[in-house]
Each structure stands twice: as structure tokens, then as C-alpha cells.
């Protein structure tokens, strides 16, 4: 396809050239003439009539969205068309957590996402960086954690700007700083192991260093200062120094001090809202409908900070409507942050992602919420491949250009923008949405993770897994993902790793159940079959999964952080080898008991059918993996 762009394109040429390589067109004087017109109104449009093509837009990102719509229509062979879209939001884009899960994306990975965002029409992104950027005054900040240099951040900001995308810093200025505060260099600003000491002058010296570093590498003046989930605020060193004070008062004191810094540097801050709602709840819960925030507290809050309401847990529109209106009581319309559920293991929960996003964004449009963030968290290792989330990005994008989402258009746009198949990506959900899990997995269970990492001789989740027919289930999924990988194009690796995971789980999901049953019947022949054949085959499959997972990690992420996953695979492989040895000792008569298999299997946390465990440390064993 050959295209010749005329009109107001001087600031678009570099972006056009970058996307031409991805979408198979060439800019040439003898190509189809495309007249580009920049206008004042928010609408973007592309039309072709009697051989003439015109593309109209206002913001740069709308040009690149419209460019994609044009190329798609031309690929479809349409001789005439008129496409008009009205942007629903002033800001809409993802936040990638490159700190909590240890996975710091390489700059080329971020650039690939930027190009996908541009053609989708997403106009903003954040890299959530607790300590994953360089603060020159603090050598232990991000030490051995893959932190970005400020030059790398500038490079990304330039690249995003070329395509009309704003890169907004997103840091923490209160809590979520466990990987920083563990170093003795920061001992004098600790309230507790993850929260800074409010009121301490050195705290604000450090915060200014963080803010100046993060802001210096980007064009925007917008800045996310974090401040969520300070669970024990004021209960550690602060309590010893100051006595008891309400969390409301501590939050307001700290916020005023941090905003003095952002004002000094001419920044436009935003912050997560949950600490105010938690302080007003008797249970400390964010979504407690009995929570009360006193008028006094709201009056004392600074007004030059945007409030960000984050919520990806609810599937009913009425809840989002209520909570958005409660946020408006702060004095302005909030930013809304939804979620693309990628942070509970290997598997992206597309059932809950679709249900929560559709409900939330429908309400945002009705309630006049104009700024949207799609969060992708990295909790506990970032085991899920980043690019599993591209359908979620497309979902947010299509909501951003339609008053009502069309699934038909979502499917078609996803195929064009990514080359992926809607149904293939939606089927990722089935790795966790196993028999017995409610439709769309609204409770966000993560059974594949507990099946993979639990010790085969301990079986902390075996009582919850029994009777689900998982061997046959995962064998079918393995075959399905093999076919998806074969046709997956650029993203075949997403399905190849899931195929290898299913290959492991078809053996391991019920391994502990079968071992305990055979041991209970003293069936040494069956036990030997596992020790001499089935488990060695499982070890081979685990090594194949580990190798694919490792190679993919080093391709898309910096090296730092993989060692955590190495330890998990190493522990799993050694536990399987130990299982073989223990069974052999029993069947040969070297020992007369396998104590591990004699312990009754209890429901995890006393809940029948419960298959959710967020944190790896509680999965392999009931013993402590490490001291706190």
C-alpha cells in the first residue's frame, strides 16, 4: 500500500514513518493522496469519496488513530467510506507497574507498547516506579533492581511525544517503599518497613530528590505522587515520636508538605484516594459503604491535587456510580483508574477485566469523568507476560471513542491494531477459570498459580482441587493453545508459554491428590509409576516451561528480577526430585512412612473450593519460606 500525505503534516512525518513499518504501507509521491486537515473540534474523521481521501483531526494522537482507521478501511478494499469518531475522554492510557513485580521493561518493549497505543488512540502512559529510576543523590535507590537511567526515560518521552502520547511520572511519596526503606541509608526516615516518617525534615528532602529526578526527564508537568495503601500510617516510629493522631490528620499534614514541593517545581499532581476512604472506615476498607470522611477533613485538603479513584473489583454499575459521586465530594471530578487483571500469576483474567471495565467506563461517561488510567500491576513477580494485556488496552481504547462499546468493532480493531484474535486472547482466562469457578471469575481466583508452585508432598490446596477433572481439562487446553501459538504471529509466545504451563498442570494439578491416595492404599506399584516415570516426565516439562519463560523475560525485561522466578522454579524442581527420592525410600523399604502424605488435607484457609492465594510465600508450604 502506497500513500502520499499532503497538508499539515510537518510534525507528523516521523510518527508516520515509524507506524508505516508496523502496518505495511509506504509513503511515496505516487501513492494514494491523503489530504490531512487539522481542525478545532474534538471529532476525528476519515472519508474517501470519488477517489479523494481526507483525514481530519485535532490532537496528534487522534491523527494516528485516524491513520489506523484509514489503513484498515483501505485493506478492506473499500472504495468509499466515511468514518467519524468522537473522543469520550481527555486522557486515556495504561500504567505499567515496573517496580512491585521486579520486572523493568526494556525501552524497546515500552516503545512497542507506545506504537500499539498510538494506532489504538491511547494518549497517555505511566511507568509506575517505586524505585525503578535513578536519583543521583541516592545510590541505594533502585540498587540492583534494574532502575531506568534518566536518559532512558527521556528517550521514551521523546518517542511517545512523537506519536502524540504523554508520559506522566508515577511514583510513591508516602508508602509502598519497602524496597527502598530496607536499606540502612534510609533508616532515619522510616515510620515502618514500607512507609516514610511523616513530619521528619529528611523525609521531604528525599521526596524532593525523587520528584525532581522523575520530573526532569519528561515534558509534562503532570505528576502522580501515589500515597496509597499506607497500611500502618502513624503506628510505627511516628507513634513513638508524636503519640496517636488520626490518619486523616497525618494524611493532610503530609499531603500539604508534598504539595509544597510540587508547587515549587511547577508540577500538576494527582494522587490515589484510598487512604481517605480507609481512614473513614471502621475496618480500614477502601470500598466500605459505611465509610465517612468528615467535612472538616475535606475542607482541610489541598485543592490543587487531582484525586484518582482506583477500582477494578466491581461488575455492577451502581457501585461505580456511588463511588464516583463520593469522590466528587472532594470538590472535583476524579480521575478513574481501572485495571487489566494481569497480576495474580501467569494468567490474565479477561472475564473480570471485561466485566469491571465495561461497568466502570459506562458510568464514567455518564458521570463526566474525563481522564482514565488502565492499570497493569506486577504484584509478586510479574509472572504474566506483559503482552497478554493487549486486548485489555484495545478495550480501553474503543471505550474512548464510542459512547457505547461495540464488541464487533472491538474485535475488528483488535485484529487490525495487533494482528491478534479476540477469541484467542479471551481464552487465556480458561487457565484459571477452571470447572467450579464462577463465570468470568469475578472473585479472581488463581488456581493455576497454586497448582504450579505448591509442594507435591504438602498439597496445601489439594482439598480444594479434588474432583475437578483437571488432567483432562488441561490436556484439552494444551492442544488449544498450541493451535493459538501457531497462528499467533508476533504474539505467539503468549500462547506458547501458556501451552507449556498447561502441559505441566495436566500432570501436576492433581499430583498430590494421586500420591496421597496411592500411599493411603499402600499401592507401591502406583507410587513407583509416579517416581520412575510420571514425575521425571513432569520435571522435563517444568524445565521446558522455565526455559521458555526465562528466554521471554530477558527479551522484554531487564535482567534484574528474573532471579526471583529462578528461585521459584529451582524450588519446584528440587521438590519434585525430593518427591521421587521419598517415594523410592518408601517403596524400597528404606523408610516405613511418608509423614507428609499422612497429614489430612484441609481446605485452604478453612474455605471449601477456595482457590485464591495472592502471595507466593504462602503457596509451597505451611512453613516460613524466609524470615520477615
Amino acid at each position: 500500500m502506497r500513500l502520499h500525505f499532503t497538508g499539515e503534516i510537518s510534525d507528523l512525518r516521523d510518527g508516520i514513518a515509524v507506524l508505516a513499518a508496523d502496518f505495511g504501507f509506504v509513503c511515496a509521491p505516487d501513492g494514494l493522496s491523503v489530504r490531512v486537515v487539522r481542525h478545532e473540534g474534538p471529532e476525528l474523521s476519515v472519508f474517501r469519496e470519488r477517489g479523494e481521501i481526507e483525514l481530519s483531526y485535532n490532537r496528534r494522537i487522534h491523527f494516528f488513530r485516524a491513520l489506523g482507521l484509514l489503513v484498515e478501511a483501505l485493506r478492506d478494499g473499500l472504495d468509499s467510506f466515511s468514518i467519524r469518531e468522537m473522543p469520550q475522554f481527555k486522557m486515556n492510557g495504561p500504567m505499567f507497574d515496573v517496580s512491585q513485580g521486579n520486572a523493568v521493561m526494556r525501552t524497546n518493549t515500552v516503545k512497542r507498547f507506545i506504537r500499539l497505543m498510538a494506532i489504538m488512540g491511547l494518549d497517555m502512559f505511566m511507568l509506575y516506579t517505586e524505585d525503578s529510576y535513578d536519583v543521583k543523590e541516592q545510590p541505594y535507590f533502585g540498587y540492583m533492581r534494574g532502575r531506568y537511567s534518566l536518559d532512558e526515560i527521556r528517550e521514551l518521552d521523546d518517542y511517545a511525544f512523537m506519536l502524540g502520547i504523554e508520559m506522566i511520572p508515577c511514583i510513591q511519596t508516602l508508602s509502598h517503599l519497602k524496597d527502598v526503606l530496607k536499606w540502612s541509608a534510609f533508616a532515619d526516615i522510616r515510620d515502618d518497613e514500607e512507609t516514610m516518617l511523616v513530619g521528619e525534615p529528611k523525609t521531604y528532602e528525599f521526596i524532593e530528590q525523587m520528584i525532581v529526578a522523575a520530573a526532569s526527564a519528561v515534558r509534562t508537568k503532570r505528576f502522580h505522587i501515589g500515597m496509597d495503601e499506607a497500611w500502618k500510617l502513624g503506628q510505627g516510629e511516628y507513634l513513638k515520636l508524636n503519640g496517636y493522631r488520626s490518619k486523616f490528620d497525618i494524611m493532610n499534614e503530609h499531603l500539604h508538605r508534598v504539595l509544597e514541593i510540587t508547587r515549587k517545581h511547577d508540577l500538576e499532581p494527582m494522587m490515589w484516594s484510598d487512604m481517605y476512604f480507609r481512614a473513614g472506615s471502621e475496618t480500614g476498607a477502601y470500598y466500605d459503604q459505611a465509610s465517612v470522611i468528615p467535612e472538616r477533613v475535606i475542607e482541610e485538603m489541598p485543592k490543587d491535587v487531582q484525586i484518582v479513584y482506583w477500582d477494578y473489583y466491581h461488575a455492577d454499575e451502581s457501585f461505580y456510580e456511588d463511588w464516583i459521586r463520593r469522590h466528587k465530594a472532594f470538590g472535583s471530578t476524579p480521575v478513574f483508574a481501572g485495571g487489566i487483571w494481569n497480576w495474580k500469576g501467569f494468567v490474565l483474567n479477561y472475564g473480570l477485566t471485561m466485566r469491571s471495565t465495561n461497568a466502570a467506563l459506562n458510568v464514567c461517561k455518564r458521570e463526566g469523568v474525563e481522564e482514565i488510567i488502565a492499570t497493569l500491576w506486577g504484584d509478586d513477580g510479574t509472572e504474566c507476560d506483559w503482552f497478554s494485556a493487549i486486548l485489555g488496552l484495545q478495550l480501553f481504547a474503543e471505550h474512548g471513542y464510542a459512547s457505547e462499546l461495540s464488541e464487533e468493532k472491538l474485535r475488528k480493531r483488535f485484529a487490525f491494531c495487533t494482528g491478534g484474535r479476540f477469541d484467542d486472547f479471551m481464552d487465556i482466562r480458561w487457565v484459571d477459570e477452571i470447572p467450579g469457578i464462577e463465570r468470568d471469575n469475578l472473585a479472581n481466583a488463581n488456581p493455576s498459580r497454586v497448582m504450579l508452585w505448591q509442594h507435591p508432598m504438602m498439597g496445601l490446596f489439594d482439598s480444594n482441587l479434588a474432583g475437578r477433572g483437571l488432567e483432562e481439562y488441561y490436556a484439552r487446553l494444551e492442544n488449544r493453545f498450541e493451535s493459538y501459538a501457531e497462528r499467533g504471529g508476533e504474539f505467539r509466545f503468549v500462547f506458547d508459554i501458556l501451552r507449556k504451563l498447561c502441559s505441566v498442570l495436566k500432570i501436576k494439578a492433581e499430583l498430590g491428590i494421586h500420591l496421597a491416595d496411592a500411599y493411603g492404599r499402600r499401592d507401591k506399584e502406583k507410587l513407583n509409576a509416579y517416581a520412575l516415570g510420571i514425575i521425571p516426565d513432569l520435571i522435563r516439562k517444568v524445565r521446558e516451561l522455565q526455559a521458555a519463560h526465562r528466554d521471554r523475560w530477558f527479551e522484554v525485561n531487564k535482567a534484574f528480577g528474573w532471579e526471583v522466578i529462578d528461585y521459584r522454579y529451582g524450588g519446584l524442581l528440587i521438590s519434585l526430585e525430593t518427591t521421587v527420592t521419598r517415594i523410592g525410600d518408601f517403596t524400597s523399604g528404606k523408610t516405613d512412612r511418608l509423614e507428609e502424605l499422612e497429614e489430612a488435607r484441609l481446605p485452604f484457609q478453612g474455605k471449601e473450593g477456595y482457590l485464591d492465594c495472592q502471595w507466593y510465600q504462602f503457596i509451597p508450604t505451611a512453613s516460613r519460606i524466609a524470615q520477615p
Side-chain angles (χ1 to χ4, degrees):
M1 183 184 300
R2 299 170 71 82
L3 300 175
H4 177 54
F5 296 93
T6 64
E8 305 170 47
I9 63 168
S10 59
D11 62 342
L12 303 172
R13 292 185 189 277
D14 290 344
I16 292 171
V18 164
L19 293 180
D22 284 344
F23 291 94
F25 65 89
V26 175
C27 295
D30 62 346
L32 285 173
S33 180
V34 180
R35 186 160 64 98
V36 177
V37 177
R38 188 166 187 171
H39 58 235
E40 292 300 318
E43 187 180 61
L44 60 93
S45 65
V46 185
F47 73 83
R48 182 183 192 185
E49 187 175 348
R50 292 190 294 274
E52 294 188 1
I53 301 174
E54 182 175 285
L55 188 159
S56 300
Y57 74 103
N58 175 251
R59 295 173 55 203
R60 189 181 307 182
I61 187 62
H62 297 157
F63 168 83
F64 291 111
R65 164 92 180 180
L67 174 62
L69 293 168
L70 169 62
V71 173
E72 183 180 3
L74 294 175
R75 278 191 190 174
D76 289 342
L78 301 179
D79 293 325
S80 64
F81 48 84
S82 179
I83 304 168
R84 299 180 185 276
E85 291 185 335
M86 181 63 70
Q88 303 295 302
F89 306 118
K90 292 181 178 178
M91 181 189 83
N92 184 12
M95 182 222 75
F96 300 98
D97 175 2
V98 293
S99 281
Q100 290 185 113
N102 313 311
V104 180
M105 286 192 284
R106 295 188 180 279
T107 55
N108 282 343
T109 304
V110 180
K111 288 179 179 180
R112 181 66 185 112
F113 273 113
I114 290 171
R115 296 198 302 276
L116 287 168
M117 289 167 53
I119 211 73
M120 292 176 182
L122 295 168
D123 62 0
M124 180 281 302
F125 80 101
M126 300 176 181
L127 297 178
Y128 171 83
T129 50
E130 293 173 354
D131 65 335
S132 302
Y133 61 102
D134 188 38
V135 176
K136 67 176 186 295
E137 301 91 344
Q138 301 292 345
Y140 281 93
F141 187 83
Y143 172 62
M144 285 289 182
R145 295 255 296 144
R147 60 194 169 198
Y148 291 109
S149 71
L150 296 189
D151 284 342
E152 286 177 311
I153 295 175
R154 289 188 189 95
E155 178 186 347
L156 293 174
D157 185 62
D158 287 344
Y159 198 82
F161 179 76
M162 172 182 68
L163 291 165
I165 295 170
E166 182 181 23
M167 182 179 179
I168 300 178
C170 183
I171 70 170
Q172 287 290 0
T173 59
L174 178 59
S175 195
H176 269 293
L177 291 168
K178 185 178 291 187
D179 286 303
V180 174
L181 298 179
K182 67 188 178 188
W183 299 112
S184 60
F186 301 98
D188 53 1
I189 63 168
R190 274 189 213 127
D191 184 5
D192 60 43
E193 70 276 5
E194 59 182 347
T195 304
M196 289 189 289
L197 183 58
V198 172
E200 165 58 46
K202 290 182 180 178
T203 295
Y204 301 98
E205 292 174 15
F206 175 48
I207 289 173
E208 184 163 16
Q209 290 168 0
M210 289 193 292
I211 288 175
V212 168
S216 68
V218 296
R219 290 171 170 79
T220 187
K221 290 296 183 180
R222 305 193 72 186
F223 200 101
H224 201 316
I225 59 175
M227 293 202 190
D228 62 316
E229 295 182 337
W231 304 113
K232 296 179 284 186
L233 178 65
Q235 297 174 22
E237 190 66 23
Y238 185 92
L239 183 64
K240 296 177 190 177
L241 295 171
N242 301 281
Y244 175 78
R245 291 183 69 204
S246 79
K247 289 185 178 180
F248 285 130
D249 292 336
I250 299 172
M251 280 296 299
N252 271 349
E253 176 191 342
H254 185 66
L255 181 57
H256 276 285
R257 294 287 296 272
V258 173
L259 293 190
E260 288 176 6
I261 298 169
T262 59
R263 292 184 198 113
K264 175 181 175 181
H265 296 283
D266 194 29
L267 300 174
E268 301 167 13
M270 65 181 79
M271 65 175 287
W272 308 115
S273 69
D274 60 294
M275 285 304 298
Y276 284 95
F277 285 87
R278 294 182 196 280
S281 166
E282 291 185 1
T283 62
Y286 187 13
Y287 308 117
D288 179 1
Q289 292 180 302
S291 175
V292 176
I293 303 174
E295 282 295 324
R296 170 190 68 82
V297 173
I298 294 175
E299 290 171 3
E300 292 174 359
M301 289 179 64
K303 303 308 176 190
D304 56 339
V305 59
Q306 283 188 290
I307 302 300
V308 183
Y309 160 39
W310 57 267
D311 190 349
Y312 17 82
Y313 292 94
H314 298 94
D316 54 303
E317 295 190 6
S318 61
F319 188 92
Y320 292 105
E321 186 175 88
D322 180 19
W323 237 246
I324 287 171
R325 290 176 181 178
R326 292 190 189 214
H327 278 76
K328 287 180 178 179
F330 287 117
S332 61
T333 301
V335 177
F336 176 75
I340 301 173
W341 273 93
N342 69 316
W343 59 89
K344 292 289 286 288
F346 282 74
V347 181
L348 201 149
N349 183 345
Y350 267 120
L352 180 54
T353 296
M354 290 288 176
R355 291 280 297 277
S356 63
T357 300
N358 288 335
L361 297 192
N362 286 342
V363 174
C364 284
K365 293 170 193 177
R366 294 200 300 268
E367 289 292 317
V369 175
E370 296 182 324
E371 297 186 311
I372 306 296
I373 303 170
T375 62
L376 293 97
W377 296 104
D379 296 8
D380 203 26
T382 316
E383 292 167 357
C384 184
D385 192 280
W386 290 113
F387 287 91
S388 294
I390 55 175
L391 176 56
L393 295 180
Q394 193 80 57
L395 173 67
F396 274 81
E398 297 315 306
H399 264 291
Y401 293 90
S403 57
E404 292 186 14
L405 181 75
S406 163
E407 184 179 306
E408 180 182 359
K409 185 173 182 180
L410 171 61
R411 287 171 173 271
K412 193 170 186 297
R413 291 289 297 157
F414 181 63
F416 170 77
C417 292
T418 72
R421 294 173 180 243
F422 177 93
D423 290 325
D424 292 3
F425 276 79
M426 282 297 294
D427 280 359
I428 291 171
R429 63 194 285 194
W430 299 120
V431 183
D432 271 345
E433 200 173 318
I434 62 174
I437 299 292
E438 67 174 326
R439 178 75 179 180
D440 293 327
N441 194 6
L442 298 184
N444 202 35
N446 60 347
S448 66
R449 194 178 199 219
V450 302
M451 295 172 202
L452 178 65
W453 298 129
Q454 74 168 350
H455 195 295
M457 297 285 278
M458 304 297 179
L460 293 184
F461 295 84
D462 282 352
S463 172
N464 304 74
L465 290 166
R468 296 175 187 261
L470 296 173
E471 291 179 3
E472 295 81 5
Y473 179 82
Y474 281 113
R476 291 194 297 271
L477 272 186
E478 179 188 8
N479 291 333
R480 185 183 302 183
F481 287 129
E482 182 175 19
S483 65
Y484 293 174
E486 288 174 354
R487 68 193 188 200
E490 179 186 354
F491 304 111
R492 65 170 294 137
F493 54 82
V494 170
F495 301 103
D496 187 53
I497 289 176
L498 291 174
R499 180 190 69 79
K500 289 180 169 67
L501 175 63
C502 290
S503 182
V504 168
L505 295 183
K506 73 181 180 184
I507 302 173
K508 190 166 187 296
E510 298 177 310
L511 176 60
I513 297 168
H514 295 321
L515 292 178
D517 176 68
Y519 177 73
R521 294 183 286 105
R522 298 304 190 265
D523 186 344
K524 292 188 176 182
E525 182 178 350
K526 187 70 170 177
L527 289 170
N528 272 329
Y530 276 94
L532 300 177
I534 296 173
I535 297 177
D537 184 47
L538 175 59
I539 290 172
R540 178 183 60 79
K541 291 177 181 295
V542 170
R543 290 191 181 279
E544 290 176 355
L545 172 62
Q546 184 270 345
H549 193 180
R550 177 198 62 212
D551 292 349
R552 183 62 190 159
W553 179 287
F554 286 108
E555 184 178 354
V556 298
N557 300 313
K558 295 189 178 187
F560 303 92
W562 174 255
E563 69 278 6
V564 173
I565 309 299
D566 252 350
Y567 299 147
R568 293 177 187 176
Y569 280 114
L572 174 57
L573 289 164
I574 292 297
S575 73
L576 291 169
E577 292 175 3
T578 297
T579 299
V580 169
T581 299
R582 292 285 288 151
I583 292 172
D585 287 350
F586 175 72
T587 58
S588 68
K590 185 176 180 179
T591 183
D592 61 352
R593 296 178 61 194
L594 295 176
E595 297 163 279
E596 311 96 311
L597 296 180
E598 292 178 359
E599 188 90 14
R601 272 36 180 173
L602 302 177
F604 188 74
Q605 298 292 7
K607 300 177 183 179
E608 297 288 346
Y610 184 69
L611 287 168
D612 180 32
C613 188
Q614 175 104 2
W615 308 111
Y616 170 83
Q617 63 178 315
F618 303 117
I619 295 173
T621 171
S623 297
R624 294 184 191 180
I625 292 178
Q627 293 295 320

